[in-house]
Amino acid sequence: MVRTPEPGLRGAVNGLPSLQPLPTVAERAAEVIRDNIFEGRFEPGTALPEAALSMALQVSRNTIREAFRMLTAEHLLAHEAHKGVMVRELLEDDIHDIYKLRRMFELSAFDLAIDDRQQLDLPQIAAVVAQAQLLATGGRWLEAGTANLRFHEVLVGIHRSPRVTEVFRHLMTEVRLGFLAVADPAAFHGAFLARNRAILELMTAGKLREARAELAAYLDDAEAMVVKAVQGRLLIRSAQGSR
């Protein structure tokens, strides 16, 4: 016989906070690999041997296979016959698709601020811009590139949506694969870090429409540069494969 809780107890139970489900071992393994891609440590074309990862992460090979399936569904990994699983090389169509989504998320964030429906977190944005500049000054361009990605994540945070944040983080992880195709990261990231500062200055001055216009032009320019880099990398790979 099931006993129903008394009225007072029912109210107390209803007031308890919900618990977030714990990630599985496969999800944690996928997160480690995903973070390494986001931070630029696993470049496009990097082989990910199942046995080596299983040993490094101290998990079963079945767990690694499940993590691979998750990351393949996120367009981060690919399986090639006779080569195994590797970090995916982006194609030109991938870049266009990614930047189409970036415009949707990032420009709509400015629209919310312009309409006074949400507030931009200017101190956090300024902190990310300062961190990126410090890394660039030290010649740490891989980390500066990661800070650049975080600048855009903070902008999108204005949506105040955990789902938008999660989807955008996955998108930024994928775009990192395009950034890694760029031959001169110092020139690439240096130019866009300067534009991040310009956008911050416009936001700080309350010129949100101008900041939005600058971001729109920024995304157009970045898309064109990443497409060119990806095309060049694929040509090199094709020439190497034909030898």
Side-chain angles (χ1 to χ4, degrees):
M1 179 177 178
V2 178
R3 297 181 61 184
T4 57
E6 298 176 5
L9 179 60
R10 185 183 297 116
V13 169
N14 288 343
L16 292 175
S18 60
L19 297 179
Q20 295 297 318
L22 294 174
T24 65
V25 177
E27 287 170 339
R28 295 203 300 273
E31 184 177 4
V32 170
I33 299 169
R34 189 187 298 112
D35 285 349
N36 275 274
I37 294 173
F38 180 82
E39 293 171 7
R41 289 192 287 269
F42 288 174
E43 294 193 12
T46 300
L48 298 178
E50 183 182 292
L53 278 172
S54 173
M55 185 177 297
L57 299 180
Q58 294 293 292
V59 297
S60 72
R61 294 179 70 160
N62 282 337
T63 296
I64 295 298
R65 291 188 197 109
E66 179 60 26
F68 283 168
R69 282 192 287 271
M70 294 177 190
L71 296 171
T72 299
E74 294 174 18
H75 313 292
L76 297 176
L77 303 183
H79 182 274
E80 290 191 23
H82 312 299
K83 293 184 179 180
V85 175
M86 59 185 59
V87 180
R88 188 165 173 264
E89 298 265 10
L90 296 187
L91 303 175
E92 182 178 344
D93 286 347
D94 294 317
I95 302 301
H96 292 313
D97 200 34
I98 288 167
Y99 274 84
K100 184 184 296 182
L101 289 170
R102 287 193 65 178
R103 291 182 184 91
M104 288 172 57
F105 286 119
E106 296 188 50
L107 298 181
S108 62
F110 269 104
D111 292 336
L112 289 172
I114 290 168
D115 295 341
D116 287 327
R117 284 179 282 164
Q118 295 288 2
Q119 290 287 323
L120 287 164
D121 191 342
L122 291 178
Q124 187 179 6
I125 295 170
V128 172
V129 168
Q131 180 195 28
Q133 185 57 53
L134 185 64
L135 292 166
T137 300
R140 297 160 64 183
W141 291 107
L142 192 65
E143 294 165 89
T146 301
N148 178 36
L149 295 177
R150 296 195 192 284
F151 170 81
H152 296 278
E153 284 189 330
V154 176
L155 287 180
V156 170
I158 194 175
H159 286 281
R160 306 291 189 265
S161 166
R163 288 178 177 82
V164 168
T165 298
E166 180 182 3
V167 171
F168 192 73
R169 176 58 181 256
H170 288 174
L171 192 67
M172 288 291 92
T173 305
E174 196 176 356
V175 83
R176 186 61 186 259
L177 298 177
F179 287 178
L180 290 170
V182 175
D184 187 348
F188 178 75
H189 291 304
F192 286 103
L193 293 182
R195 293 176 76 168
N196 289 350
R197 290 196 301 275
I199 291 171
L200 173 61
E201 288 168 4
L202 288 169
M203 289 189 291
T204 303
K207 299 178 179 180
L208 298 183
R209 294 186 188 278
E210 291 88 340
R212 186 192 189 280
E214 171 57 27
L215 178 61
Y218 174 122
L219 293 174
D220 289 344
D221 294 343
E223 179 179 5
M225 292 177 71
V226 175
V227 164
K228 184 177 180 180
V230 165
Q231 289 173 334
R233 188 181 180 103
L234 291 175
L235 283 173
I236 292 170
R237 290 295 177 93
S238 178
Q240 291 172 340
S242 63
R243 291 175 183 173

